[in-house]
Amino acid sequence: MPSNTAAWQTAPKVKPLEVKSAPYTSPQENEIVIKNGAVAINPIDWIIQDMGKMMFSSLKYPFILGFDTAGEVVEVGPGVTRFKVGDRVVGHANGTDEKYNSPAHGAFQLYTVLLVNAASSIPSTLSYESAAVLPLGLSTAACGLFQKDQLALQHPSTSPKPTGKTLLVWGGATSVGCNAIQLAVAAGYEVLTTCSPKNFDYVKKLGASQAFDYNSKTVINDLIRAFNGKTTAGAISIGSRAAENCLDILDKCKGDKFISMASYPVPQPPPKKFVILSIAASYLSGMAEIWVKSKTRGIRTNFIFGSTLLYNEVGKAIYVDFLPQALAEGTFIAAPDPLVVGKGLEHIQAGYDLQRKGVSAKKVVVSL
Ligand SMILES: NC(=O)c1ccc[n+]([C@@H]2O[C@H](COP(=O)([O-])OP(=O)(O)OC[C@H]3O[C@@H](n4cnc5c(N)ncnc54)[C@H](OP(=O)(O)O)[C@@H]3O)[C@@H](O)[C@H]2O)c1
């Protein structure tokens, strides 16, 4: 049995993560174990470290966090036929899910247990560092776009059928946004998006037809004008004030009036002082604005929880039916590009710190 090591969150708010031994856990039915080649950092990782388990009340310390991993299959569970030992895969680690609440399923260790339907094979040309950027951004975008309780769009394929509808992706240069643009295009939708002007070319390379500066004073009117004559498929809102802005835009457009919200109305990046008070105040006023605008304008909204697809038909539609073929054919690329902070579990804390400062169209990655 291999010896395992992990970057542990030993108690709420403790920094740095403690790198020490961890049990090696063999896979159950519908599971594989991979030797992680690279892992990626998401905002939720340092949010849990900074704020304790507020959003994941079932977490039991000590814990191993981490959602994004890519590596080599070392063991397959009973009945698993989709993968064999030696396969190169990318996977969404689900250790924080209430159903599992299991350190063995966290990404920030040498060996991680993955659900088969949360993993996809990757081409030999895709490095583990590049592949590791995908999982939580991809899953969150897919939950928002395809779940029946969200936008419920047509599913993606490598030969999409045009729907004639246009989706608004607010926050196209975020990890979630880069995946949302590509998934929506692969599902047959035109995409309008927002980002900083320096990322206009990048989001267009991913498939957006037009990009708008979210910091421009005229961005809302510019987008309303751009939607003129089009039928909306709704919006996915990512980033500060994204949902509030999407409500103003969809109010003036023809088509589906639904917003899938990836971001809660809290300041991003978080303020340095009086963090809890100012986050709570921002959250309450943002929620109130979203509630009033959605009720008075007849626009439905729903928050996304980026792991829910692992337990419904969307997980299979993405990780089994779409991603392996789309990556192999090059119709879907791993985006945004990785920003590798170092090699070894000791570098995960530096990865948290860099992600917290903010990145632009990049995913913070640690090689293992
Ligand atoms: N609900 C869920 O399950 C779930 C899961 C994952 C993430 N999220 C949330 O989704 C958001 C994005 O996460 P991520 O990991 O994708 O982020 P990320 O990659 O760290 O986002 C960085 C990007 O954010 C863009 N950005 C910053 N402020 C913006 C704004 N006001 N409007 C539009 N874009 C803005 C910047 O674009 P430019 O560089 O172009 O300025 C930058 O490239 C966060 O709020 C995160 O908490 C939610």
Side-chain angles (χ1 to χ4, degrees), residues 62-95:
F63 210 83
I64 302 168
L65 289 170
F67 296 85
D68 294 348
T69 179
E72 183 183 322
V73 176
V74 293
E75 199 178 349
V76 300
V80 172
T81 52
R82 235 182 104 222
F83 297 109
K84 60 181 189 319
V85 170
D87 283 353
R88 301 174 76 251
V89 300
V90 62
H92 177 149
N94 63 332

Side-chain angles (χ1 to χ4, degrees), residues 41-44 46-47 55-56 68 136-137 139-141 143 169-179 194-200 203 212-215 237-242 245 261-264 266 268-269 303-308 336 355-356 358-364:
I41 317 293
N42 288 283
I44 193 63
W46 56 260
I47 290 172
M55 292 168 74
F56 293 88
D68 294 348
L136 190 62
S139 291
T140 306
C143 289
V169 176
W170 187 285
T174 63
S175 291
V176 178
C178 289
N179 285 283
T194 66
C195 58
S196 292
K198 65 180 174 191
N199 289 322
F200 281 1
V203 294
F212 299 82
D213 179 1
Y214 61 85
N215 280 317
S237 61
I238 315 153
S240 291
R241 288 202 57 77
N245 295 334
M261 302 183 290
S263 300
Y264 283 80
V266 292
Q268 293 171 30
F303 280 107
I304 302 166
F305 195 76
S307 297
T308 46
Q355 217 300 327
R356 188 192 289 102
V359 291
S360 179
K362 288 273 184 290
K363 188 93 188 178
V364 178

Side-chain angles (χ1 to χ4, degrees), residues 4-7 17 19 34-42 45 64-72 89-94 103-114 122 127-136 175 336-352 354-355 362-368:
N4 192 18
T5 308
L17 294 163
V19 177
I34 69 165
K35 184 174 193 305
N36 297 318
V39 294
I41 317 293
N42 288 283
D45 298 319
I64 302 168
L65 289 170
F67 296 85
D68 294 348
T69 179
E72 183 183 322
V89 300
V90 62
H92 177 149
N94 63 332
H105 292 73
F108 297 153
Q109 56 191 320
L110 298 184
Y111 295 92
T112 293
V113 181
L114 289 175
I122 57 173
S127 68
Y128 291 138
E129 286 74 11
S130 293
V133 307
L134 281 167
L136 190 62
S175 291
D337 290 336
L339 176 60
V340 179
V341 285
K343 186 169 165 65
L345 294 165
E346 297 75 14
H347 293 272
I348 290 176
Q349 184 64 54
Y352 278 29
L354 182 60
Q355 217 300 327
K362 288 273 184 290
K363 188 93 188 178
V364 178
V365 166
V366 176
S367 295
L368 297 177

